[in-house]
Amino acid sequence: MSQFLTVAVLFLLLLPSSPAVASEQKPLAPASVEALTAAINRLAAAMEAGQKSASNKESLEKLNLAISYLSFRSRRIEVVERDITAMKNTRNNIEDAQKTWNERILALEERQKQNIGGSNGDLSKMIEDSKAQMAAFKERQARLGEEIIQLENRNYELQREISSIEKFVERHLDF
């Protein structure tokens, strides 16, 4: 639409504005009319190319933004996955520590049974401390389990978000 408007304005500028001016002007030679037409056609083509270029530039900016977002989200997913792995490792270490503490408690209880007439107060105190430590490990393990579930849910959400952006990029890059 704007191309036609531009061409119309150019023709209006070239037309004489009054009969007196029209009589003073010489008629244009066919070669100059053709040259003028070619110039107008080149101008219209340049304007159309400029509009396409602006549209392409906008699409390219959107794609760059989407790719930057994908990069950011991918790094965020990597961090969350690393955190999940670290928490699972910690949980496994706690399980190993619990096994060690269970063995210690059993050994202390066995010693207490064998040491019937001796000083059981110290052994009883050690058993109570060990059981308290076991309770703390179990509590920590439960909290880690909850945190792992929350992070895995967050990771799932991030991956869902990233998949929709990936589809947009693929659609516009013609993969």
Side-chain angles (χ1 to χ4, degrees), residues 8-25:
V9 169
L10 286 175
F11 276 122
L12 288 176
L13 291 174
L14 295 174
L15 291 177
S17 56
S18 70
V21 173
S23 63
E24 291 177 10
Q25 291 183 343

Side-chain angles (χ1 to χ4, degrees), residues 35-153:
L36 180 60
T37 303
I40 291 173
N41 288 339
R42 283 194 308 270
L43 177 62
M47 288 180 61
E48 185 176 327
Q51 287 175 345
K52 284 182 181 177
S53 175
S55 174
N56 288 342
K57 185 178 179 181
E58 183 179 325
S59 294
L60 184 60
E61 288 174 3
K62 286 179 183 177
L63 283 173
N64 281 335
L65 182 62
I67 290 169
S68 296
Y69 181 80
L70 283 174
S71 177
F72 170 76
R73 285 298 186 187
S74 295
R75 281 184 264 130
R76 181 67 184 134
I77 288 172
E78 289 173 6
V79 168
V80 169
E81 287 175 347
R82 229 178 299 134
D83 290 347
I84 291 170
T85 302
M87 286 182 169
K88 285 181 177 179
N89 288 337
T90 301
R91 185 179 61 188
N92 291 339
N93 290 340
I94 288 174
E95 288 173 3
D96 292 341
Q98 279 181 321
K99 290 175 186 173
T100 304
W101 281 98
N102 273 333
E103 292 170 4
R104 182 174 181 192
I105 290 171
L106 291 175
L108 288 171
E109 287 175 344
E110 188 62 35
R111 251 175 80 191
Q112 187 178 32
K113 288 178 186 175
Q114 291 174 357
N115 200 8
I116 293 174
S119 63
N120 286 335
D122 290 340
L123 284 176
S124 296
K125 176 74 171 137
M126 291 173 74
I127 291 171
E128 286 178 34
D129 290 343
S130 297
K131 286 183 179 181
Q133 189 66 35
M134 279 292 294
F137 278 131
K138 287 180 181 179
E139 185 180 313
R140 176 73 175 130
Q141 190 176 21
R143 279 196 316 264
L144 275 174
E146 291 172 4
E147 290 175 16
I148 288 170
I149 290 171
Q150 288 174 352
L151 280 178
E152 286 175 339
N153 288 340

